[in-house]
Amino acid sequence: MGSFQHSMDFLLFQFGLCTFKYDHTEEKYVMKSFNFYIFPKPFNRSSPDVKFVCQSSSIDFLANQGFDFNKVFRNGIPYLNQEEERQLREQYDEKRSQANGAGSLSYISPNAAKCPVTIPEDQKKFIEKVVYPKGIHVETLESDKKERYIVISKVNEEERKRREQQKQAKEQEELNDAVGFSRVVHAIANSGKLVIGHNMLLDVMHTIHQFYCPLPDDLSEFKEVTSCVFPRLLDTKLMASTQPFKEIINNTSLAELEKRLKEVPFSPPKVESAEGFPSYDTASEQLHEAGYDAYITGLCFISMANFLGSFLSPPKNHVSARSKLIEPFFNKLFLMRVMDIPYLNLEGPDLQPKRDHVLHVTFPKEWKTSDLYQLFSAFGNIQVSWIDDTSAFVSLSQPEQVQIAVNTSRYAESYRIQTYAEYVEKKHEEKQAKRKCTEDSWKEMERKRLKTQCTPYVSQSRYYCVNSFTGTSTVGKRSMSPIQEETGSDDMEEGEAQDPEYDQTDSCAESLPDGKKRAKKFKKIKTEQVPAGKHNVCACGFLLCLELP
């Protein structure tokens, strides 16, 4: 996951959502589209204050597309991830308990990182008399200019309680406003609906990173987190790149795919906007507006799903989002620029390609691609895949040349070459050593705690339970499809002849408890506090949620 962490420096500005519901009576789809402008503006002094930078080329691109920056910065919807929300709720609870005189008196520093300061015993009576006198209501307010002031009122006990309740209700409303757009994402996750995107790996990563928790470094942990948040995902780019579509679809970029699916042998669906919701015209091509991209992603999925229905006996014009025909495409995300692994499998191990022709090379950071081509000039055609500034994978055309290349580097001082197998083994050893070091550290801390009989140590790296729910690029066709992997193309046709189109149970109703089981299984997600850092601007991150009948 390390190579993807850099991508998480991007700040998501716009989130598009489009829901589709099939009307059996009129044989049409009713859609509702949404464009959410989001921005992490702090609503008070204790809120996270996110720092980010803007990449000039990105700003230029968005401006040329007519992106409304004023909507983002002036009216953008705020959001918090789960750890930020937890900390904010703790602050409110602490303030409330002190206002009610509960617990030991203490002073909370404006700096949220500092702990409460306990008041000495010999000063408690004085503090109680001054801070909490009977018949006095104290309230801190904020002016339009963000200036803070204190209002002290003399009231009877009944009026004081009434004002306190009003204050608490207002604080709760402020807290909900601070959580903001995260509540929308949580609602999508809790719904258990099928969530669809196009080339959606980064979209999923941004969504989890910004609205739930920082992404884990380990791939298997990322898969568990993703399955916990979104139990059913479908990537239309992967769907279009595999059987039975890859032989009749040449270009899987979103705009070109939408055009191709209007032609024979596909049939464009009949879609109407719900009353009071905006409609889109595909002829105008409002590309790079998140809601529009979500809309045409939905059209692409419906066309391809209904095409699968034509293989049934008798054929079906409408294939539901809970049909067994599309299950082979669930929870597999398209991978860009990885030619021998067509997709990331969220539900199990990924395909393990044979890479005995691949070398791992380390070199000085001054080197360029031309230096690598010169180094391997004697080995014919090569392919270079950069890892970072000082390392890359080099693929040779003939596997038998690998050992020759390794041997030639034994006495080299400026670079080092090892086989792909050696590289993987070394990474595994480093991971095991790191895990052992972490376990030993925890054991040592626990031993010291028991020895001194102090309170349990709390790490800054928190673990908590998730409340769940539980591109425009043409890439070569994939030789392995999810259907081939799980059922085989011949088996699929045989299964279709038996008419497996609909499951007898409502999978929408089942998916929510199933998601909760996953959440129960994966109870702890590592969520290290990320310091305020650099973020770039990103206007993507569009997802589509299918609304089932």
Side-chain angles (χ1 to χ4, degrees), residues 51 74 101 191 286 301 319 325 346 369 385 412 456 458 469 503 546:
K51 293 183 175 68
R74 287 184 178 176
S191 73
Q286 294 172 254
F301 167 74
V319 173
L325 286 176
L346 296 175
T369 303
S385 300
V458 179
F469 21 59
D503 205 346
L546 274 192

Side-chain angles (χ1 to χ4, degrees), residues 492-506:
M492 185 186 75
E493 293 182 10
E494 181 181 345
E496 287 165 348
Q498 298 171 6
D499 195 6
E501 211 275 305
Y502 290 104
D503 205 346
Q504 295 301 313
T505 58
D506 187 347

Side-chain angles (χ1 to χ4, degrees), residues 315-333:
K316 291 186 179 293
N317 295 324
H318 165 66
V319 173
S320 167
R322 57 177 179 261
S323 168
K324 288 185 177 296
L325 286 176
I326 59 173
E327 282 186 5
F329 300 100
F330 284 176
N331 299 322
K332 296 177 177 67
L333 304 183

Side-chain angles (χ1 to χ4, degrees), residues 182-380:
S182 298
R183 297 166 68 192
V184 176
V185 179
H186 297 166
I188 296 172
N190 284 321
S191 73
K193 306 287 187 181
L194 177 62
V195 177
I196 298 172
H198 187 83
N199 198 12
M200 66 189 301
L201 176 58
L202 277 178
D203 297 332
V204 170
M205 295 173 73
H206 278 296
T207 301
I208 293 174
H209 181 76
Q210 290 197 202
F211 307 117
Y212 281 93
C213 62
L215 294 177
D217 293 327
D218 185 75
L219 178 60
S220 61
E221 287 184 21
F222 168 72
K223 289 183 178 183
E224 289 190 87
V225 173
T226 304
S227 297
C228 186
V229 175
F230 296 119
R232 290 200 305 158
L233 295 171
L234 188 145
D235 192 329
T236 51
K237 188 171 181 73
L238 176 65
M239 192 175 184
S241 303
T242 52
Q243 295 288 5
F245 302 102
K246 72 173 186 174
E247 301 301 331
I248 48 180
I249 296 175
N250 294 321
N251 190 333
T252 60
S253 67
L254 185 55
E256 294 303 316
L257 178 61
E258 187 270 332
K259 293 176 184 176
R260 177 66 183 93
L261 292 174
K262 291 179 179 177
E263 303 169 352
V264 178
F266 305 101
S267 299
K270 182 181 177 182
V271 179
E272 292 182 6
S273 296
E275 186 177 351
F277 285 83
S279 59
Y280 285 115
D281 180 9
T282 54
S284 63
E285 285 197 349
Q286 294 172 254
L287 293 172
H288 307 297
E289 180 181 292
Y292 177 78
D293 286 350
Y295 167 64
I296 61 175
T297 298
L299 297 183
C300 291
F301 167 74
I302 292 169
S303 295
M304 288 190 287
N306 291 346
F307 177 74
L308 293 176
S310 67
F311 291 99
L312 296 174
S313 182
K316 291 186 179 293
N317 295 324
H318 165 66
V319 173
S320 167
R322 57 177 179 261
S323 168
K324 288 185 177 296
L325 286 176
I326 59 173
E327 282 186 5
F329 300 100
F330 284 176
N331 299 322
K332 296 177 177 67
L333 304 183
F334 185 86
L335 289 177
M336 292 285 289
R337 302 182 183 90
V338 185
M339 299 309 298
D340 55 358
I341 303 179
Y343 56 84
L344 179 68
N345 184 9
L346 296 175
E347 293 189 318
D350 295 300
L351 299 175
Q352 296 296 323
K354 193 175 183 181
R355 288 179 171 170
D356 54 357
H357 66 298
V358 179
L359 295 166
H360 176 260
V361 188
T362 55
F363 42 80
K365 64 180 180 179
E366 293 80 16
W367 277 32
K368 297 179 175 59
T369 303
S370 57
D371 296 305
L372 291 171
Y373 275 102
Q374 183 177 354
L375 178 64
F376 291 93
S377 59
F379 297 92

Side-chain angles (χ1 to χ4, degrees), residues 360 362 416 418-433:
H360 176 260
T362 55
R416 183 173 181 272
Q418 60 181 338
T419 65
Y420 181 79
E422 291 171 338
Y423 166 78
V424 172
E425 183 180 359
K426 185 178 179 181
K427 294 291 287 185
H428 179 71
E429 290 174 355
E430 290 175 354
K431 184 178 178 181
Q432 293 292 96

